[in-house]
C-alpha cells in the first residue's frame, strides 16, 4: 500500500528535526497551567474509569508519554518518525514506544483506556479527520477517554519551509476548535470539556484542548 504523501512528509521532516525539537520545545513541566490541568484531568478520568493502557499518539521524543506515566497511567507512545522513537526509547527505556501511524494503529478493537493526541492531529488533512477519529474510536474501550491538544484557527493550510532550524516539507491544517468538536461527535464521541487560549504572537491561531469520551458500555 502506498504511503499517503502527507505522512511521508511528516516522517521525513520530524526525522530531520528530532534532535533540535527535543532541545527547543518546552517540556510538559514548563507548559502553561491550563494545558497541564487538562493533562491532569485526562489522567484522573482514565484512572477513575478503570485504567487501561493509554496511547500517546504522535509522541515525539516521549516526554509527554513519561509525564502521563508520572500521573499514574500505563502510557506508551506511537510516532511515525523513527528518529523521534529512537530518542524516546533512549530517554525512557522502561516505557514502550512504537514506530507507526496514528491513522492505522496496530491495535485490536477496544484495546485502550485512553488516547492522547498532543499537537499531532494538525498534520492530518482536514478531509481525513473523520477517518482518523473513527480509528481513535475503534481502539478505545467503551467509555474510554480522548484528549486532543493543539493548534486551531480559521480554516487554513500552512506550509512552513523551516522549523526547529531545519528545512521541512510537512503542512499544518488548521480548523476551528468547534469543527473538531463536531467531527468528534460525528465519530461517536461525547465532548466533555473544551479550552481555548489565544496564541501569544499570532492573531488567527489558538491553542485548544478537547476532552471527549467514547460511547459507554452497552
Amino acid at each position: 500500500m502506498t504511503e499517503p504523501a502527507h505522512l511521508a512528509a511528516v516522517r521525513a521532516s520530524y526525522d530531520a528535526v528530532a534532535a533540535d525539537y527535543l532541545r527547543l520545545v518546552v517540556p510538559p513541566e514548563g507548559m502553561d497551567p491550563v494545558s497541564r490541568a487538562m493533562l491532569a484531568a485526562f489522567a484522573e478520568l482514565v484512572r477513575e474509569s478503570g485504567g487501561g493502557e493509554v496511547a500517546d499518539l504522535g509522541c515525539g521524543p516521549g516526554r509527554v508519554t513519561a509525564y502521563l506515566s508520572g500521573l499514574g497511567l500505563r502510557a506508551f507512545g506511537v510516532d511515525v518518525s523513527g528518529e523521534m522513537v529512537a530518542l524516546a526509547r533512549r530517554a525512557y527505556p522502561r516505557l514502550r514506544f512504537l514506530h507507526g501511524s496514528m491513522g492505522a494503529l496496530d491495535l485490536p478493537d477496544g484495546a485502550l483506556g485512553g488516547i492522547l493526541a498532543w499537537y499531532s492531529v494538525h498534520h492530518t488533512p482536514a478531509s481525513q479527520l473523520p477517518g482518523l477519529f473513527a480509528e481513535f474510536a475503534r481502539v478505545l474501550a467503551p467509555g474510554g477517554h480522548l484528549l486532543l491538544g493543539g493548534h486551531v484557527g480559521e480554516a487554513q493550510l500552512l506550509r512552513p519551509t523551516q522549523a526547529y532550524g531545519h528545512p521541512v516539507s510537512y503542512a499544518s491544517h488548521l480548523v476551528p476548535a468547534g469543527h473538531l468538536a463536531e467531527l468528534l461527535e460525528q465519530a461517536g464521541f461525547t465532548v466533555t470539556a473544551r479550552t481555548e487560549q489565544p496564541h501569544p504572537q499570532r492573531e488567527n491561531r489558538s491553542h485548544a484542548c478537547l476532552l471527549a469520551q467514547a460511547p459507554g458500555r452497552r
Side-chain angles (χ1 to χ4, degrees):
M1 184 182 226
T2 304
E3 181 178 63
H6 82 276
L7 199 60
V10 169
R11 172 183 287 110
S13 297
Y14 280 101
D15 279 349
V17 307
D20 285 309
Y21 178 101
L22 179 61
R23 179 175 62 86
L24 293 170
V25 173
V26 173
E29 295 79 6
M31 289 179 188
D32 65 274
V34 173
S35 295
R36 285 187 282 110
M38 290 296 275
L39 287 169
F42 168 71
E44 184 173 345
L45 287 167
V46 173
R47 293 195 308 267
E48 288 184 349
S49 295
E53 284 200 300
V54 172
D56 177 9
L57 303 181
C59 66
R63 293 189 297 193
V64 180
T65 319
Y67 190 77
L68 293 180
S69 179
L71 293 174
L73 299 182
R74 293 192 289 129
F76 68 95
V78 180
D79 204 282
V80 72
S81 165
E83 290 298 322
M84 288 291 197
V85 170
L87 286 175
R89 287 172 175 169
R90 284 197 295 271
Y92 308 104
R94 295 184 180 180
L95 299 179
R96 182 163 55 108
F97 295 96
L98 307 176
H99 186 204
S101 167
M102 70 171 68
L105 295 164
D106 187 17
L107 295 169
D109 295 358
L112 301 176
I115 287 175
L116 174 71
W118 196 251
Y119 289 82
S120 52
V121 166
H122 65 276
H123 290 309
T124 301
S127 63
Q128 297 182 29
L129 288 175
L132 181 67
F133 293 162
E135 177 70 347
F136 290 0
R138 180 188 71 80
V139 298
L140 272 173
H145 296 276
L146 167 67
L147 175 59
L148 296 183
H151 306 293
V152 297
E154 291 305 311
Q156 58 180 304
L157 174 63
L158 305 176
R159 291 192 177 276
T161 58
Q162 294 275 329
Y164 312 107
H166 297 266
V168 294
S169 56
Y170 59 62
S172 291
H173 306 264
L174 296 190
V175 297
H179 184 56
L180 287 176
E182 290 172 3
L183 292 176
L184 288 171
E185 297 278 359
Q186 290 170 16
F189 289 95
T190 299
V191 175
T192 56
R194 183 171 121 192
T195 65
E196 190 167 352
Q197 303 177 81
H199 192 287
Q201 294 149 341
R202 299 182 185 177
E203 289 184 8
N204 297 320
R205 192 181 304 184
S206 301
H207 301 294
C209 292
L210 290 89
L211 269 170
Q213 188 170 23
R217 294 174 178 82
R218 294 178 176 84

